[in-house]
Amino acid sequence: MALDIKRHRQKIKETGPEFNLVPFIDILFTLLIFLVVSSSFSTAGINDATDSGTGKPNITDTSGTSEYYLLPVAGLEKVTVNGQDMSALIKDHAIAVQTKVIDQGEIIIKPKERAIIITAPPGMSPEQAVRSPD
């Protein structure tokens, strides 16, 4: 039985290399899923100003010098502090909130109702808790 080497060489020259994309895409997505599942999405290095879980600034953090911080809400129409309506202080859909309220009080933002409900710390009046943004 004779081998036809000439025909075999010609067949190899005529056919170019092929790259099958289906297994390549399967492996690529498998690696992507592995990387997403095994990575950590911690924001500890990004946002050290907040303690874990609450979103409130740490009381000992002195990253800002302002006494009031701006709370913008799209289409803000109503601000209530300890049950008292302070909507007259809204300017450009925002309100300035005292830092003590952020640290020790409670702020509930209701974007669908376009409202902010604030519970100021004991001993703080609604006039001290919020003011019109400058």
Side-chain angles (χ1 to χ4, degrees), residues 68-71 89 94-98 118 129-134:
Y68 287 85
Y69 286 97
L70 192 64
L71 282 181
L89 299 175
I95 191 85
V97 179
Q98 220 266 355
I118 298 172
V130 295
R131 72 174 188 190
S132 184
D134 293 335

Side-chain angles (χ1 to χ4, degrees), residues 89-111:
L89 299 175
I90 297 173
K91 182 179 179 185
D92 296 327
H93 306 288
I95 191 85
V97 179
Q98 220 266 355
T99 55
K100 190 174 179 183
V101 173
I102 295 172
D103 291 338
Q104 301 171 5
E106 181 181 12
I107 301 172
I108 301 171
I109 300 174
K110 296 185 175 184

Side-chain angles (χ1 to χ4, degrees), residues 4-106:
D4 191 4
I5 296 176
K6 186 177 181 183
R7 191 178 73 174
H8 182 67
R9 285 184 184 168
Q10 187 177 10
K11 183 179 175 184
I12 290 174
K13 287 181 183 178
E14 289 175 3
T15 60
E18 295 180 9
F19 188 71
N20 194 353
L21 287 176
V22 175
F24 175 72
I25 292 172
D26 289 343
I27 291 170
L28 187 68
F29 279 123
T30 303
L31 288 172
L32 181 67
I33 290 170
F34 173 76
L35 290 173
V36 168
V37 169
S38 65
S39 34
S40 171
F41 293 103
S42 171
T43 59
I46 297 171
N47 193 4
D48 288 333
T50 59
D51 63 2
S52 60
T54 64
K56 291 184 176 182
N58 293 329
I59 294 173
T60 58
D61 183 28
T62 57
S63 60
T65 57
S66 181
E67 188 178 349
Y68 287 85
Y69 286 97
L70 192 64
L71 282 181
V73 174
L76 182 63
E77 295 174 353
K78 186 172 184 176
V79 175
T80 307
V81 180
N82 294 343
Q84 184 177 344
D85 187 23
M86 302 296 284
S87 301
L89 299 175
I90 297 173
K91 182 179 179 185
D92 296 327
H93 306 288
I95 191 85
V97 179
Q98 220 266 355
T99 55
K100 190 174 179 183
V101 173
I102 295 172
D103 291 338
Q104 301 171 5
E106 181 181 12

